């Protein structure tokens, strides 16, 4: 939510101010590159150090609950990357007057979670939901990519973080 609140107004202004669309495309590349560079290492470290993080946050007295929490955390922490990337894609699509696709992508998430639980619960137990959450998060992204590309955007890494629009988003 915070990312969308900061990103969408700056992106919309870039679209209006630069009729070529290059400013908006550069900004979206900056944000996506920044997400990859920041989130993947942080989330990987969180998964590696799940034990102390969960012990700090939760105080279950039963050891099995603590172990289950740590295991689920190691899986589910990566959903943050998927939902963040999906939010950028949604913001780009909405700012370019494509509304139905971003509106339907959460439905994809729900369908995958429900399907995963329904078909995998007997073999994976509670981890069927973790598989569903990760699969649903990934499907939200995959579902939006063709439309994101169709309007001229791409995933080329953009490391020029001195971009004024990018700085505005970070500041917000």
């Amino acid at each position: 939510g915070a990312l969308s609140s900061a990103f969408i107004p700056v992106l919309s202004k870039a679209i209006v101010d630069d009729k070529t669309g290059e400013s908006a495309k550069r900004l979206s590349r900056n944000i996506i590159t920044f997400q990859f560079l920041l989130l993947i290492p942080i989330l990987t470290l969180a998964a590696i150090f799940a034990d102390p993080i969960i012990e700090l946050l939760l105080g279950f007295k039963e050891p099995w609950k603590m172990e289950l929490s740590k295991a689920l955390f190691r899986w589910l922490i990566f959903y943050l990357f998927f939902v963040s990337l999906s939010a950028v894609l949604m913001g780009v699509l909405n700012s370019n007057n494509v509304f139905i696709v971003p509106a339907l992508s959460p439905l994809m998430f729900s369908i995958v979670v429900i399907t995963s639980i329904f078909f995998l619960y007997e073999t994976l137990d509670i981890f069927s939901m973790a598989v569903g959450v990760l699969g649903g998060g990934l499907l939200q992204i995959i579902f939006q990519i063709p439309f994101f590309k169709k309007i001229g955007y791409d995933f080329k890494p953009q490391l020029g973080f001195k971009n004024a629009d990018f700085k505005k988003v970070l500041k917000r």
Side-chain angles (χ1 to χ4, degrees):
L3 174 63
S4 295
S5 297
F7 175 60
I8 292 173
V10 177
L11 178 67
S12 296
K13 185 169 179 2
I15 291 168
V16 169
D17 292 349
D18 178 7
K19 299 298 179 200
T20 68
E22 287 308 309
S23 295
K25 291 172 188 170
R26 184 174 49 251
L27 175 59
S28 74
R29 287 186 202 121
N30 279 144
I31 295 293
I32 291 168
T33 302
F34 186 71
Q35 287 178 309
F36 272 91
L37 293 174
L38 183 70
L39 289 176
I40 291 184
I42 289 173
L43 298 176
T44 301
L45 286 171
I48 291 168
F49 296 103
D51 289 3
I53 293 170
I54 293 301
E55 287 169 11
L56 177 70
L57 296 175
L58 300 175
F60 292 125
K61 302 222 184 307
E62 301 91 341
W64 69 270
K65 283 185 181 178
M66 288 301 286
E67 292 308 311
L68 180 60
S69 298
K70 292 172 189 176
L72 286 169
F73 179 84
R74 283 187 179 97
W75 277 78
L76 293 173
I77 192 69
F78 292 100
Y79 175 69
L80 292 176
F81 176 75
F82 293 148
V83 74
S84 295
L85 184 55
S86 181
V88 171
L89 299 179
M90 286 178 173
V92 167
L93 292 171
N94 283 330
S95 296
N96 283 278
N97 299 315
V98 177
F99 300 107
I100 191 75
V101 174
L104 290 176
S105 71
L107 180 62
M108 301 295 139
F109 173 81
S110 297
I111 289 169
V112 173
V113 170
I114 292 166
T115 303
S116 178
I117 293 168
F118 186 77
F119 288 106
L120 300 175
Y121 184 77
E122 286 188 27
T123 55
L124 297 178
D125 202 285
I126 190 71
F127 289 93
S128 62
M129 180 173 267
V131 169
V133 166
L134 291 174
L138 184 59
L139 186 60
Q140 278 185 286
I141 295 166
I142 292 169
F143 180 68
Q144 294 178 87
I145 287 174
F147 302 93
F148 179 79
K149 288 185 171 187
K150 183 178 179 182
I151 60 173
Y153 289 78
D154 58 53
F155 292 95
K156 292 177 190 164
Q158 183 84 39
L159 293 169
F161 296 125
K162 294 185 179 181
N163 173 351
D165 288 337
F166 177 75
K167 288 180 180 180
K168 281 181 199 171
V169 173
L170 284 184
K171 189 176 181 181
R172 290 181 176 193

